[in-house]
Amino acid sequence: MKIIAHDPARFAALPYYPFAENWLTIDLGEGQSGQMHYLDEGPKDAPPLILFHGEPSWSYLYRKMIPLLVEAGFRCLAPDLIGFGKSDKPDDQTFYTYARHVDWLKQWRDAVVPEVAGLFCQDWGGLLGLRIVGQEPERFAFVVASNTFLPTGGGKASPGFLAWRAFAKSSPDFRIGGIMDRGCQSELSAAEIAAYDAPFPDEPSKAGARAFPQLVPVEDDKPGVAENVAAWEGLAAFDKPFLTLFGEDDPVLGLAGPQLAKRIKGAEGQPHAMLSKCGHFSQEDRPAELAQGVIDMARQAGFLA
């Protein structure tokens, strides 16, 4: 297995991404280490807000939200998951596991933002972030979730998801920028599509993006089911503000918002919303509404003035 580092030339002059680079060495396991890239915007003494991306995006997805959130008074921290963005990319699909992704993020969290923080998560950012909330609820002041869930098996994957899983695993035409564009209701520019392609110059660099759909524990025999069942105990009891803002045009996870909200104590009575003209990548389609939801939850929690 090789660890692929990012090519800085592919990230030169990205549109609307004027953010400084930050790096942390991560123990990947099996004697391997890698560099995790993350954004750290806003005053270092401001209330910290963690922004977790999912499949197959990277911190570029938060370029529209971060300025709004920093202006509101947050310190915004957005890591690129291992295998994505500017972070290092093991080129072996089988090396990526649900448990390892959680461990890598916990290493980053413990090193960079060990204090209590707010969380915004979407897609796999929620499969990872919500598990961590369930395991360590005392470390989170509030949560805003969009187009995500914490699955625990017990079902059968839909035909649409099975098709996506198969496509991601082996399709020879796996172009990340095009996938991102199709998942939005707003139209991405050619430069923005290129920015989503930037982390993936060749087939080996796409191993993490191809692996993620294989790891979703929809079926009972998938690793992660037991861990998510256990995490749901803490997540369901989470009594601090919890808001769901889902896209009504997300064909995969749009309907999961009400299911998520009704199971979490802190979600009771919150102004949950299905956002119109909003696809799977809600950060692209409705960044202002998502940012305002974060601000509202932080103020309700007494976390932000």
Side-chain angles (χ1 to χ4, degrees), residues 161-173:
F161 181 75
L162 289 174
W164 161 240
R165 182 184 279 174
F167 175 80
K169 184 176 183 179
S170 58
S171 171
D173 186 29

Side-chain angles (χ1 to χ4, degrees), residues 5 41 51 68-69 74 79 83 101 118 127 136-137 158 179 191-193 196 200 202 220 240 259:
E41 296 289 318
L51 306 165
L68 302 174
L69 294 165
F74 286 105
H101 270 295
L127 273 75
E136 303 174 344
S158 68
I179 292 169
E192 289 170 324
I193 291 172
Y196 282 117
F200 307 104
D202 52 23
D220 286 336
K240 286 163 277 190
Q259 300 176 44

Side-chain angles (χ1 to χ4, degrees), residues 4-7 10-11 14 17 21 23 35-38 53-54 56-60 79-89 176 195-201 205 209:
I4 303 169
H6 84 296
D7 177 1
R10 291 183 61 86
F11 295 86
L14 294 178
Y17 191 79
E21 294 179 342
W23 300 92
Q35 294 296 304
M36 179 177 280
H37 169 259
Y38 64 97
H53 75 82
S57 60
W58 60 291
S59 57
Y60 187 76
D80 290 340
L81 301 178
I82 293 294
F84 297 82
K86 295 183 181 181
S87 292
D88 284 354
K89 300 171 183 66
I176 305 300
Y196 282 117
D197 279 326
F200 307 104
S205 65

